[in-house]
Amino acid sequence: MSVTTKRLERGIMACAIVPLDEQQVTEPSAVGKDRTLPALHPDRKEERCFVPYRPPPEDGSPAQVEEFLEHAKFITEDLEWLLALPHDKFWCQVVFDETLQKCLDSYLCHASRGLDPAGLPCSPAVADVQRCIHRAVFMTFLRMATHKESKVETAQGSVWENFLTPTVFGEIIYENFLFDIPKILDLCVLFGKGNTQLLHKMIGNIFTQQPGYYSDLDETVPSVLQVFDTILDKCGLQCEGAGAMEPLKLNANGRPTAMTMSQQDLVDLVLYLCDSTTTIHAFLDIYPPACSTFQSHGFLSRLVSFYESAVPDMEKAVRKRNFTDKGLKEDLWKRMCHSCKRMVEVAHLLLQQSCLQPILEGFLSDYDEQFPIAEDISLLQQALPLIDETRTSYLLQGVQSAWDSVGRRRPQGHLQTKALPAAQGGAVGGRASPLGQRESGEGGESPRGAEAPLYMPHKGNNGAVCSLSVGELESLLSSIKELLPDLGEGFLLACLQEYDYSPELVIHNILEQQLAPRLDTLDRAMPRPPKEDLPAVLSNRSNVFDDDEFDVFHRDQVDMSRIWKGRRKGESAQEILGDKQHIEEQRERYRAYETVVDEVMVEPGAAYTLDGDYDDEYDDTYDVNQVGANDLDGDSLLSRRPFTIPLVLRTGNKPQFEQEEDEEEDARTVENHAPRDQFVQDPALLRERAEARRAAVQQRKGYRPEPAGSVVGRPKGQGQTQETAQDRRKKEASKGRGANHNRRNMADRKRNKGMIPS
């Protein structure tokens, strides 16, 4: 860094927190001596030549595109260098460099608008460099419209480190033609899309710091109106009604019309109309306060008359005239539709800002301030309960929007106005008296508007029921304590209960000294009442584990060595298996069986008794008859006489028991005659014996077996007997009852249920 630059920085820092127009800097002169200059001085301007802007080539030849890219690169680099300059250097360059103003003016003049055919870039490189230039120009104008920058924090608060005095700033931009009305109009058209808020703030700052622009705008509106007269004159028309400024000339009938003029004149006329209407709409949409200036010249009526006179003829000419280029005809029709839309939107803006907005500012908000509309709607709701609540809420929202649109705040009392209950205050015949809602003033008149007392919501006899959670209630108390820290929480809690837990209403009534009589008697430093202790649950608790060794609710000391989580530490499977403590515990019990007394000495004349044993005479009834002593291991009694069911216990199925008896006798006979060494009998012999027994039983019961059917019959062609035909019918009817003959039916059933894919 050079010594000169350091000196300049020290000089500027010495003038910190001083407007730029009052700062003095010290710098070396050409002869080597230091000199003191104002911060804004022509000698402090850097020698740099800003080249003017040229639009991209239309034919798109490589040589011309390369030339344009190089030219645009110079402009971008110069503007980025300008934006990087410090505050004082930037303003010296802006004020005293004429080439910079020519560069910026050339871009505003030649930059393509939204509907221009040349607005489409011919290559991506051209599109990128166009975006860079567009952004650099916008940032330059934005910095030029700002008189303060570099906000810093100090002990006294936030201050602007670099700034200009507002009056000096207004003189600089006005006297040096940094901004004028045509430039502002072009800025709105070129940069309005996506930057509406920045442009509104920028233009508002320009008009605020330099009111002379309002007079320039007032002089510009007649020139804008002259545009409409020029278009009407080119079309051979004249504005109708009061908007006509001049009488119709005698030779006006011989002038060309939209249908008879040349094609190029019609194209120029449509482009002129489209550009003018788009510019006017962009400016009024971004900066609505200018609508009053336009309307002061009767712009709305002139616009409507022009629309009715010129637009139909121009649309008719575009539709019915023959154009050699169909694309040109479509483009003209598109521009005409765009122009019509912009004119309608301009008329809406003028009506909104010049007619409707003053009504909201002058009448509706003032009327609601003096006579609250919400109170009137409340009276109507009590008198006519069938009024639609949706419509009334819509009206109240419209009134609130009126307050918001004018930037004013409704009185606090109007925000809490609510409908009174029908049974409150002088009700007659079940309807509330309107006079009972306001306190009567002197002379029987009720105070209204700002003098009307604030309405407090009515509470029932049993008090308000708090539907808030503990956290929400604590939040309400903390919000009030931040504003009124000297009040106690108990007093604030009583106020919240009184005013339906509305913190705004509580704060307002405390500050306005309008508390209810019940609250005035309370101590304002009253603390919150202590919480009631809940009844002891453990004292009334009953449990199956009460008073056991682990009952911590009734025992002060518990053996913690017997309590652990998970597997007990220090124990292994080998230790658990090797623990024989339970054997020691059982040792005393079995120790009584160690001594066996073989002989007991009994004294003469004393009877021997066993303590604790039952003493009775010995029973020798069965000593002689040794029952079962010589019997075999089997049940000999059953072998001598088989077990039979008594007659009284038998059922009516007598043949069944007889059959069973016969089978048992046959089985015993077979067993008696079977050889001893035969382990398993012949199955064929067993089947023959079973069949013989079955035949004997059936013969005894008189059962006639069904004759064997024959479904084979005779050979084909010889006829079948009646028995064969009957057997075939019987087989066909009975073949699905058993075995696998019903497989077809079950397969069809599964297929119908979707179990088998078809």
Side-chain angles (χ1 to χ4, degrees):
M1 183 180 296
S2 63
V3 177
T4 303
T5 306
K6 292 182 179 179
R7 289 181 179 178
L8 291 176
E9 289 182 356
R10 285 196 297 267
I12 293 175
M13 292 302 296
C15 303
I17 319 302
V18 177
L20 181 62
D21 52 278
E22 299 179 4
Q23 292 182 11
Q24 300 288 330
V25 295
T26 302
E27 61 180 15
S29 62
V31 296
K33 295 182 179 180
D34 294 342
R35 61 174 180 171
T36 302
L37 298 175
L40 290 176
H41 195 272
D43 293 343
R44 302 194 64 213
K45 175 180 67 70
E46 297 288 342
E47 295 297 333
R48 197 178 188 96
C49 182
F50 291 85
V51 296
Y53 173 80
R54 289 183 296 184
E58 297 182 0
D59 54 356
S61 61
Q64 293 181 350
V65 170
E66 184 178 358
E67 181 182 0
F68 169 78
L69 293 177
E70 185 178 2
H71 190 83
K73 183 179 179 181
F74 291 153
I75 298 176
T76 305
E77 292 177 353
D78 291 341
L79 293 179
E80 290 179 352
W81 170 84
L82 177 67
L83 293 172
L85 291 176
H87 185 252
D88 58 332
K89 286 288 188 179
F90 173 81
W91 278 104
C92 289
Q93 203 74 27
V94 167
V95 174
F96 303 112
D97 194 345
E98 296 181 358
T99 60
L100 172 61
Q101 298 303 322
K102 292 181 180 179
C103 175
L104 297 176
D105 293 346
S106 63
Y107 184 80
L108 296 181
C109 181
H110 298 99
S112 61
R113 272 58 175 172
L115 295 178
D116 291 346
L120 300 177
C122 56
S123 66
V126 174
D128 293 340
V129 74
Q130 284 282 79
R131 283 193 294 268
C132 294
I133 297 178
H134 189 81
R135 182 183 181 278
V137 172
F138 177 69
M139 296 302 296
T140 303
F141 277 108
L142 186 62
R143 190 175 183 184
M144 289 166 54
T146 306
H147 67 282
K148 52 186 178 180
E149 57 185 42
S150 302
K151 191 174 184 180
V152 295
E153 298 292 337
T154 62
Q156 290 77 18
S158 300
V159 296
W160 297 97
E161 183 179 2
N162 301 318
F163 64 96
L164 285 165
T165 304
T167 55
V168 176
F169 169 76
E171 293 177 0
I172 290 175
I173 62 175
Y174 192 78
E175 297 296 335
N176 294 279
F177 298 96
L178 301 183
F179 290 99
D180 52 26
I181 298 302
K183 285 185 180 180
I184 294 175
L185 295 177
D186 290 334
L187 288 173
C188 293
V189 175
L190 291 175
F191 305 104
K193 186 176 181 181
N195 303 298
T196 303
Q197 296 181 355
L198 286 176
L199 281 173
H200 176 78
K201 186 176 180 181
M202 182 178 74
I203 298 174
N205 188 47
I206 293 173
F207 277 85
T208 302
Q209 307 303 334
Q210 181 50 264
Y213 284 106
Y214 281 107
S215 60
D216 292 351
L217 179 63
D218 187 70
E219 296 176 0
T220 306
V221 175
S223 301
V224 177
L225 292 174
Q226 187 63 34
V227 173
F228 298 148
D229 295 337
T230 302
I231 295 175
L232 288 173
D233 183 67
K234 293 292 183 180
C235 295
L237 302 172
Q238 187 179 16
C239 189
E240 300 177 356
M245 299 179 63
E246 299 179 356
L248 184 63
K249 297 180 180 180
L250 296 177
N251 59 350
N253 295 329
R255 291 179 298 180
T257 62
M259 291 294 297
T260 58
M261 68 175 58
S262 64
Q263 178 176 329
Q264 186 61 39
D265 291 342
L266 179 61
V267 171
D268 294 340
L269 208 60
V270 173
L271 294 178
Y272 187 39
L273 175 63
C274 180
D275 183 67
S276 302
T277 54
T278 303
T279 302
I280 297 171
H281 172 265
F283 175 65
L284 295 180
D285 185 42
I286 292 174
Y287 192 64
C291 293
S292 59
T293 305
F294 276 77
Q295 186 59 21
S296 64
H297 293 268
F299 190 87
L300 180 59
S301 59
R302 294 286 299 277
L303 178 64
V304 174
S305 299
F306 170 79
Y307 190 95
E308 294 178 350
S309 301
V311 170
D313 288 354
M314 297 181 67
E315 288 183 344
K316 180 180 178 181
V318 173
R319 287 197 309 266
K320 293 188 176 181
R321 291 190 60 166
N322 295 324
F323 293 88
T324 56
D325 187 3
K326 297 297 182 181
L328 177 61
K329 182 176 182 180
E330 294 178 358
D331 181 67
L332 292 178
W333 179 253
K334 180 180 179 181
R335 291 178 180 273
M336 280 299 304
C337 295
H338 180 78
S339 302
C340 295
K341 180 180 179 182
R342 293 309 182 199
M343 285 188 284
V344 173
E345 291 176 350
V346 168
H348 173 71
L349 287 172
L350 292 174
L351 286 173
Q352 180 72 22
Q353 299 296 328
S354 302
C355 300
L356 300 179
Q357 196 73 16
I359 294 176
L360 296 177
E361 294 179 357
F363 177 75
L364 187 57
S365 58
D366 293 342
Y367 179 88
D368 185 63
E369 183 178 6
Q370 187 174 0
F371 305 102
I373 298 177
E375 295 183 2
D376 298 336
I377 292 178
S378 175
L379 293 177
L380 293 176
Q381 287 178 340
Q382 296 175 40
L384 302 173
L386 299 180
I387 293 180
D388 189 3
E389 294 183 1
T390 305
R391 296 185 178 182
T392 57
S393 62
Y394 178 76
L395 293 176
L396 294 177
Q397 290 176 4
V399 175
Q400 182 63 36
S401 300
W403 285 93
D404 297 339
S405 61
V406 298
R408 297 170 59 187
R409 187 175 181 182
R410 289 181 84 181
Q412 185 69 19
H414 298 172
L415 299 177
Q416 302 295 337
T417 303
K418 298 181 181 179
L420 291 174
Q424 180 185 1
V428 179
R431 180 177 298 174
S433 173
L435 298 179
Q437 297 185 11
R438 300 188 179 98
E439 297 178 1
S440 300
E442 296 181 2
E445 296 180 357
S446 336
R448 303 194 59 178
E451 300 177 358
L454 186 65
Y455 166 70
M456 280 80 71
H458 180 70
K459 292 180 60 177
N461 297 330
N462 56 350
V465 178
C466 180
S467 59
L468 303 177
S469 63
V470 178
E472 293 174 342
L473 186 60
E474 293 293 337
S475 177
L476 294 180
L477 288 174
S478 61
S479 62
I480 301 176
K481 289 282 289 183
E482 290 178 358
L483 299 176
L484 305 171
D486 56 331
L487 300 181
E489 293 187 358
F491 176 74
L492 295 179
L493 186 60
C495 293
L496 287 174
Q497 293 175 356
E498 179 69 21
Y499 295 112
D500 198 16
Y501 296 93
S502 175
E504 296 85 0
L505 193 57
V506 171
I507 295 173
H508 174 78
N509 290 340
I510 291 176
L511 296 178
E512 297 294 334
Q513 300 295 329
Q514 295 181 358
L515 290 175
R518 186 181 69 85
L519 299 176
D520 284 334
T521 59
L522 298 178
D523 182 13
R524 299 207 169 193
M526 179 177 62
R528 182 186 294 190
K531 296 182 179 179
E532 298 180 359
D533 296 334
L534 298 176
V537 180
L538 297 178
S539 60
N540 301 328
R541 162 182 168 272
S542 298
N543 195 284
V544 295
F545 299 106
D546 286 345
D547 299 324
D548 63 355
E549 58 178 334
F550 300 110
D551 189 2
V552 295
F553 299 108
H554 295 85
R555 290 178 178 270
D556 297 334
Q557 295 181 355
V558 179
D559 187 7
M560 300 302 296
S561 62
R562 300 193 57 191
I563 301 175
W564 63 84
K565 183 178 180 180
R567 187 172 181 178
R568 192 169 184 177
K569 296 181 180 180
E571 290 188 357
S572 61
Q574 189 66 25
E575 293 178 355
I576 295 174
L577 296 177
D579 186 8
K580 306 301 181 181
Q581 183 179 0
H582 61 285
I583 298 178
E584 298 296 333
E585 295 176 356
Q586 300 294 333
R587 187 178 302 278
E588 295 296 332
R589 178 178 301 177
Y590 291 98
R591 187 169 295 173
Y593 301 97
E594 291 181 355
T595 304
V596 179
V597 181
D598 296 334
E599 296 181 0
V600 179
M601 302 299 298
V602 181
E603 297 180 359
Y608 170 73
T609 60
L610 294 175
D611 297 337
D613 293 341
Y614 179 72
D615 187 10
D616 197 1
E617 184 179 358
Y618 176 72
D619 187 8
D620 55 355
T621 304
Y622 300 97
D623 288 347
V624 179
N625 186 13
Q626 297 181 0
V627 179
N630 299 323
D631 294 344
L632 299 175
D633 293 338
D635 193 350
S636 59
L637 182 61
L638 293 179
S639 62
R640 293 194 300 269
R641 185 179 65 184
F643 175 78
T644 58
I645 300 176
L647 294 177
V648 294
L649 299 179
R650 296 182 182 178
T651 59
N653 192 4
K654 184 176 179 181
Q656 179 179 358
F657 293 106
E658 294 178 356
Q659 177 183 356
E660 293 177 355
E661 293 177 1
D662 296 340
E663 292 178 355
E664 292 175 357
E665 292 178 359
D666 295 340
R668 287 196 297 271
T669 304
V670 172
E671 292 176 357
N672 294 333
H673 294 284
R676 292 286 182 180
D677 58 347
Q678 187 174 3
F679 181 73
V680 178
Q681 297 185 6
D682 186 7
L685 180 60
L686 294 177
R687 285 195 294 271
E688 290 179 1
R689 294 175 180 174
E691 184 63 27
R693 290 195 300 272
R694 190 177 302 107
V697 172
Q698 292 178 355
Q699 184 178 5
R700 186 166 55 249
K701 293 181 179 180
Y703 174 76
R704 181 181 178 183
E706 185 178 357
S710 176
V711 296
V712 178
R714 300 174 182 175
K716 187 176 181 181
Q718 298 183 6
Q720 304 295 335
T721 61
Q722 183 178 0
E723 290 78 5
T724 302
Q726 185 176 359
D727 292 341
R728 288 180 178 179
R729 286 196 301 270
K730 186 181 298 183
K731 179 180 179 182
E732 182 67 23
S734 304
K735 70 178 182 179
R737 293 185 300 174
N740 292 327
H741 298 291
N742 56 351
R743 285 179 295 180
R744 179 179 300 175
N745 296 336
M746 299 304 295
D748 294 341
R749 182 179 178 184
K750 289 183 179 180
R751 186 177 293 105
N752 293 336
K753 289 184 177 181
M755 300 174 64
I756 301 176
S758 301

